[in-house]
Amino acid sequence: MTARLVPILTVLSRSLRLLCPACGQSLIASSPFHIRHHCPSCRSLFSREQGFFVGAILANVLTTELVILLVCMVWLIVIGSSYESVLAGLFVVALLFPVAFYHHSWSFWLGFDYLIEGLPRYDKTSSGEERDESRY
């Protein structure tokens, strides 16, 4: 199934559930803070060249800033606490949210890449070298 045939909402749903954006059969994470090299079901490559996941880091930073802004507005307007207690609460949110959102930022970045140009397939040659197949 090509990336053009998969609806955007399907890929978004898979990203929310941390599943492979191409097939939706396996998790992208093998353990906490460790992204799989490739999908065991469809062989889509997750670990790419150096610098590929700068976008995932950017997504995590921007989402964290948005969450901090929303929490600040709700805390000040709805709850009406003092500014010092708001700052202490925002500090806790700023420390915990990026850690909790780590896998999701990678998953959304992989889903975005899958929708734009598809994911390359992983192929292990007989000599034991890892090789990335092009996106045919």
Side-chain angles (χ1 to χ4, degrees):
M1 185 181 303
T2 64
R4 289 177 179 77
L5 297 177
V6 178
I8 293 173
L9 292 177
T10 302
V11 174
L12 181 63
S13 171
R14 290 174 181 170
S15 294
L16 280 171
R17 294 178 289 151
L18 300 175
L19 297 174
C20 172
C23 68
Q25 298 297 314
S26 63
L27 293 172
I28 66 162
S30 58
S31 63
F33 305 109
H34 188 269
I35 303 297
R36 290 182 192 269
H37 181 265
H38 63 279
C39 176
S41 299
C42 69
R43 316 278 300 158
S44 291
L45 190 62
F46 298 152
S47 294
R48 308 281 283 283
E49 68 274 357
Q50 290 283 339
F52 176 75
F53 283 104
V54 170
I57 295 168
L58 177 66
N60 201 344
V61 169
L62 289 177
T63 307
T64 300
E65 291 174 356
L66 179 65
V67 166
I68 289 172
L69 179 65
L70 291 174
V71 168
C72 182
M73 288 176 24
V74 167
W75 207 325
L76 287 174
I77 295 171
V78 177
I79 299 173
S81 296
S82 68
Y83 194 65
E84 290 78 23
S85 65
V86 172
L87 286 178
L90 292 178
F91 181 73
V92 171
V93 170
L95 288 177
L96 296 180
F97 183 80
V99 174
F101 194 67
Y102 176 79
H103 288 305
H104 285 88
S105 64
W106 283 60
S107 182
F108 285 122
W109 189 247
L110 275 172
F112 176 73
D113 185 52
Y114 174 69
L115 287 172
I116 298 299
E117 58 186 15
L119 295 176
R121 301 286 180 211
Y122 171 72
D123 180 36
K124 190 167 185 165
T125 60
S126 59
S127 64
E129 296 177 0
E130 292 180 6
R131 187 182 81 198
D132 300 345
E133 290 184 6
S134 61
R135 302 165 191 213
Y136 298 133

